[in-house]
Amino acid sequence: MDRIAMLNEILTQNPTDAFARYGLAMEYSKSGDVDRSMEEFGKLLSAHPDYSAGYFMGAQTLSRAGRDEEAKKMLVDGIASARRTGNGHAAAEMEGMLAELG
């Protein structure tokens, strides 16, 4: 069974599994399916709004696709989430990427 099928099977059993949802979003991102990836990141962040890595990796996915304005919005939201949860490392990484995007 491939990773996407395996992760979808896990999510069929437990749709709120943050790790599986993140993994599925990343698999779609790696395969170049930006829209499906962002759909999964959206589901992840809707259910788990403080999953900082979701914002950062979602923003990277958008940026690679040339969708920098959307990436910036995602980074701003992610920085706010990281600060809310006291995750200074994640906030700093996202601030750095935001600065690079201008």
Side-chain angles (χ1 to χ4, degrees):
M1 181 182 294
D2 70 25
R3 289 186 53 82
I4 289 175
M6 179 187 68
L7 291 164
N8 274 314
E9 178 63 29
I10 292 168
L11 290 166
T12 298
Q13 303 296 319
N14 182 6
T16 61
D17 184 313
F19 185 73
R21 185 73 63 192
Y22 176 80
L24 185 58
M26 291 301 296
E27 287 299 316
Y28 284 132
S29 178
K30 283 193 276 187
S31 73
D33 193 340
V34 175
D35 291 334
R36 283 182 99 173
S37 176
M38 295 315 299
E39 182 180 326
E40 295 303 327
F41 279 124
K43 289 176 185 176
L44 169 68
L45 296 171
S46 177
H48 305 278
D50 288 329
Y51 201 98
S52 298
Y55 295 99
F56 188 47
M57 297 311 292
Q60 287 185 353
T61 299
L62 288 166
S63 182
R64 279 194 305 272
R67 293 164 59 177
D68 287 349
E69 291 308 311
E70 292 171 83
K72 289 177 191 179
K73 166 82 170 89
M74 186 159 245
L75 289 167
V76 168
D77 293 345
I79 292 164
S81 167
R83 286 184 180 151
R84 221 178 14 255
T85 60
N87 189 340
H89 179 74
E93 282 187 320
M94 288 185 273
E95 288 167 349
M97 183 178 175
L98 185 59
E100 286 177 18
L101 292 175

